[in-house]
Amino acid sequence: MRNLSLSRLFAAFRLELRLLCLTWVYPLLHVGWLAMLYASLGSQRGLTAEYLLEGSLRLVTQTMITAVTLFVAGASAARSVRAKFEALEESFPTSAEVTLGRWLACTLAIVAFVVEPLIIAWLVGPAGSFFASAPLFVLRCGILFGFATALTWLLLGLLGPRRWLYPILAAGWVGMLIVPNMLMGMKLPFAQLLNFSGNGSPPLYSEIFGAGISGDLPSWFYLFYASLLVAVISWIALRQIQRRFRRLSPLAALASVAAIALALFAGIGYSSTVAEAQAQDAEKLSAYQQKHESFILPADAPEAITTYDLTVDLSDLASPQFHALLTIRNRTDAALASLPLTLHHDLQITQANLPYTRDGDFLTITPPDPLQSGAELQLELTYRSALWNTDLYGTIPVAQDFIKEFGVSLSFNIAWYPLPGHFVAGFYTPASFLGDGASHFRLTILGADQMTFASNLPLTAERTFEADSAQWAMLVGSPRMVRKEVGEITVYAARDDATVSVTVEQLYPPLIESVRHLFPNGGFKHVIILATGTSPLIPQGRQITDGWVLIPTTPSFLQTLDQRYNDLFDRAELFVSPIVAGFWPGSQLTGIVDSWGTTSGRPATDRSILLNGISIYVEAYRRTNGDAAAMKAAVIAAQEEQKKHPTFTYYAPGSEPTVAFTADQVALALIDLYQAQGDAGVVKALAQVQAHESDVLALTPEALFGWLQEAAHAN
């Protein structure tokens, strides 16, 4: 026997769907929506479908279509009143099925607007990435659009189809974009939970870590709104049944209570996750405020760690184990009764060959006898724990350092291995706090066979990284990451991005050869391209280890380099200078300066001016095939263009530039020298620049060219 309630529901559904979709406005909205998306996101390069559907496409779709939802749902809900059909509809012997059928049709008509983002994602590809993310994208959008539609139907049912209600709905949508940001400033944990469109949220997705970097937040968020959706639908049904039959529906009431309880549970889960991250951040700040006067940074520690032999056992990712064998040397003139070290407080020591005490991140080793000046001892530690360290973007925690099933990310300053001195792990980011010392590093990875691992240290075996002279070590691993060798280059990229290695092969080998002829005796050995878009924190200016140059970048940067970074100076600084630094003897102290504008305490622009000047020369040489006149014209043109867009550079107190010339003047002096004496003169002059760097930095622009000329003739 036919179920009359279902028949009425489907009949109402079909009728409402035809009324909504078979009009000229509806397809026009779709065409405009597709055009807008294609104009803004259709030309994306270096990204995958999953990245877009988890990131920019999802946020744009949810933000824009929720606005459309409020008005389309309002028109749909008010149709009976506008058509003078409400009295007849109320007389029908029906329950809530007609209203629910019409709501369902309205929701489906709105959810259909996900087709255009899916088209964009399909065009970006690859297919595997698209099919992995498309179902979840549709589900998430469906939850939010369904909630917005149901809420609009409920409001119009309660207040009636008043004309003044539509401006209020629009104001409510704008308020949902503004109010969460205001609450975020008050550091309320639930602030972003109210932002159902996700507008203004930070990226919660990584090509190599997926959505894992956001922890459980997305699950709590969508569970919250799915529960509210059920609750609102239950309220609509309750109201409809109460009006028609003057009785309470037990099923709708039960669904409403259960949905509200589940929404509260999800809200508490979301808020507690944010509160935990806020507590972690507050704990770090409190530790700094209480102990900063007693801090001993690695650069100032009385001991030096000369060798590291680190083994990371990831056989059990829920409780990874670390083994560290260190050689510690007393670098002071006095005997040391205790040795200050730093190890992240979440890492629990299970075994040590020497007595120790701990106070947060402070680890103090007590040797059996005071360690004499210049003497060494060995420290052996075993410790375990799965790190989960987050950075807060407003009130949204995003994982920075972690060991999880979806990947491993360990920054240099989080103290995942013992560091000299006493300081709060993760608080310091400038590279200068490391000091100038270097250690022998050996890093071995066990377990987690499904992951590919990368480090700033040279890869010497399948899962072993080792360097004779390194100042720091980071580790990143993921089952979604792949490694490919391209001559002198090792490329790490997301497995779905097959174009990265092809792009690297086109860009970097010719550049390396262009720089090599200027530094025939340079220390360059290899390039590590970490084209993952997400990586552990890296100390700027310390990206070279044993001649291995680490270049963290994104696939998008590599693939849009010619279009977006074609300016001579930008190209030289962003693309050429890391390779030039790799060839520079003693390049541990060269390269891009760190975030405070200092490189190991030296004035910010001393070496970087020389480095960038040489880089501008190399890029001009490459662009003009070595035509000196064209090289000079290119630099002068870039100077004129830069004058149109002046920039402000901040220097920390005491690190202001101490030289009288700029990078473009260095490049022009090298071009003049090249024009006069050819490649051989430039090569000899650069060798003298490296040998007499302090003399060069004291010169004026007028004297620089003369000095280079003399250097080119020196033996």
Side-chain angles (χ1 to χ4, degrees), residues 630-699:
M631 290 167 67
K632 180 175 287 189
V635 174
I636 293 173
Q639 286 177 323
E640 294 302 317
E641 185 64 25
Q642 192 177 59
K643 291 177 182 177
K644 300 177 184 177
H645 310 284
T647 57
F648 174 76
T649 303
Y650 171 76
Y651 300 103
S655 66
E656 295 82 0
T658 58
V659 294
F661 52 81
T662 58
D664 50 321
Q665 291 169 329
V666 172
L668 288 172
L670 289 172
I671 292 171
D672 288 340
L673 181 62
Y674 168 69
Q675 193 169 20
Q677 301 187 32
D679 281 334
V682 175
V683 170
K684 290 184 67 177
L686 289 178
Q688 292 298 312
V689 167
Q690 296 162 25
H692 304 283
E693 181 180 309
S694 59
D695 295 338
V696 176
L697 294 174
L699 297 172

Side-chain angles (χ1 to χ4, degrees), residues 270-617:
Y270 184 99
S271 299
S272 62
T273 301
V274 174
E276 183 179 343
Q278 290 177 325
Q280 184 187 76
D281 200 56
E283 180 184 6
K284 188 189 303 183
L285 180 60
S286 175
Y288 172 81
Q289 292 172 339
Q290 293 175 16
K291 301 178 180 179
H292 74 276
E293 293 183 358
S294 61
F295 278 7
I296 305 172
L297 299 184
D300 306 316
E303 80 281 2
I305 302 177
T306 58
T307 63
Y308 283 96
D309 190 347
L310 306 173
T311 301
V312 182
D313 188 349
L314 301 174
S315 302
D316 180 7
L317 287 168
S319 182
Q321 180 168 286
F322 300 78
H323 181 266
L325 181 61
L326 319 177
T327 302
I328 303 176
R329 177 174 55 84
N330 180 357
R331 62 180 186 178
T332 69
D333 295 330
L336 297 175
S338 62
L339 305 173
L341 299 175
T342 296
L343 185 68
H344 196 280
H345 59 272
D346 285 344
L347 297 169
Q348 304 301 314
I349 297 175
T350 58
Q351 189 175 353
N353 68 329
L354 294 174
Y356 68 90
T357 58
R358 299 198 70 175
D359 179 12
D361 295 330
F362 290 10
L363 170 65
T364 303
I365 302 297
T366 306
D369 298 306
L371 187 63
Q372 300 300 314
S373 176
E376 295 183 341
L377 60 74
Q378 281 200 331
L379 172 64
E380 187 172 5
L381 296 175
T382 301
Y383 48 96
R384 65 169 62 242
S385 182
L387 284 171
W388 180 259
N389 181 61
T390 58
D391 281 344
L392 282 172
Y393 293 82
T395 59
I396 300 180
V398 179
Q400 176 67 42
D401 301 281
F402 49 84
I403 299 177
K404 294 291 182 180
E405 293 77 7
F406 59 82
V408 174
S409 178
L410 298 173
S411 301
F412 77 101
N413 70 331
I414 199 63
W416 61 276
Y417 57 87
L419 289 169
H422 277 165
F423 58 94
V424 174
F427 199 87
Y428 281 90
T429 56
S432 54
F433 96 101
L434 287 169
D436 296 342
S439 310
H440 177 94
F441 264 91
R442 189 171 190 270
L443 173 59
T444 304
I445 314 299
L446 304 177
D449 296 336
Q450 75 277 18
M451 295 190 191
T452 299
F453 289 93
S455 177
N456 62 301
L457 306 175
L459 180 68
T460 56
E462 182 59 28
R463 292 201 158 207
T464 301
F465 303 89
E466 189 167 3
D468 290 329
S469 180
Q471 295 180 309
W472 61 284
M474 66 91 172
L475 181 65
V476 58
S478 170
R480 303 162 64 109
M481 186 169 68
V482 295
R483 183 183 75 242
K484 185 171 182 180
E485 302 294 334
V486 182
E488 298 175 292
I489 305 166
T490 300
V491 183
Y492 293 94
R495 68 184 178 201
D496 288 330
D497 202 336
T499 62
V500 171
S501 58
V502 176
T503 306
V504 166
E505 192 167 8
Q506 294 171 347
L507 290 173
Y508 279 93
L511 172 61
I512 291 171
E513 292 308 313
S514 297
V515 179
R516 195 190 306 276
H517 87 276
L518 295 177
F519 299 94
N521 300 315
F524 172 84
K525 295 179 183 177
H526 204 83
V527 175
I528 304 169
I529 305 287
L530 197 60
T532 57
T534 305
S535 68
L537 191 64
I538 292 170
Q540 298 295 316
R542 305 296 180 92
Q543 294 166 226
I544 302 163
T545 302
D546 277 1
W548 285 54
V549 183
L550 175 67
I551 301 179
T553 186
T554 65
S556 178
F557 171 82
L558 293 173
Q559 295 187 21
T560 60
L561 186 64
D562 291 335
Q563 292 77 26
R564 296 176 59 189
Y565 303 99
N566 202 38
D567 177 79
L568 176 64
F569 293 167
D570 288 345
R571 185 75 165 250
E573 180 181 358
L574 298 174
F575 176 58
V576 180
S577 64
I579 302 300
V580 174
F583 280 91
W584 189 301
S587 58
Q588 291 282 6
L589 303 180
T590 66
I592 303 171
V593 296
D594 63 44
S595 58
W596 281 101
T598 59
T599 303
S600 295
R602 294 174 172 78
T605 57
D606 282 5
R607 288 183 177 231
S608 63
I609 275 186
L610 295 176
L611 177 72
N612 287 331
I614 297 167
S615 301
I616 293 170
Y617 171 84

Side-chain angles (χ1 to χ4, degrees), residues 169-241:
L169 288 175
W173 178 79
V174 173
M176 282 295 183
L177 305 181
I178 298 174
V179 172
N181 292 326
M182 295 172 59
L183 296 176
M184 196 162 54
M186 300 167 63
K187 301 190 182 301
L188 296 176
F190 58 84
Q192 280 296 319
L193 187 60
L194 302 178
N195 185 5
F196 65 88
S197 71
N199 184 58
S201 299
L204 298 178
Y205 177 82
S206 160
E207 289 282 27
I208 61 168
F209 298 129
I213 58 174
S214 56
D216 296 328
L217 278 189
S219 300
W220 291 125
F221 181 88
Y222 288 102
L223 178 60
F224 177 78
Y225 279 101
S227 303
L228 287 184
L229 169 60
V230 174
V232 174
I233 291 298
S234 300
W235 295 336
I236 292 174
L238 274 171
R239 180 177 176 275
Q240 196 81 3
I241 294 170

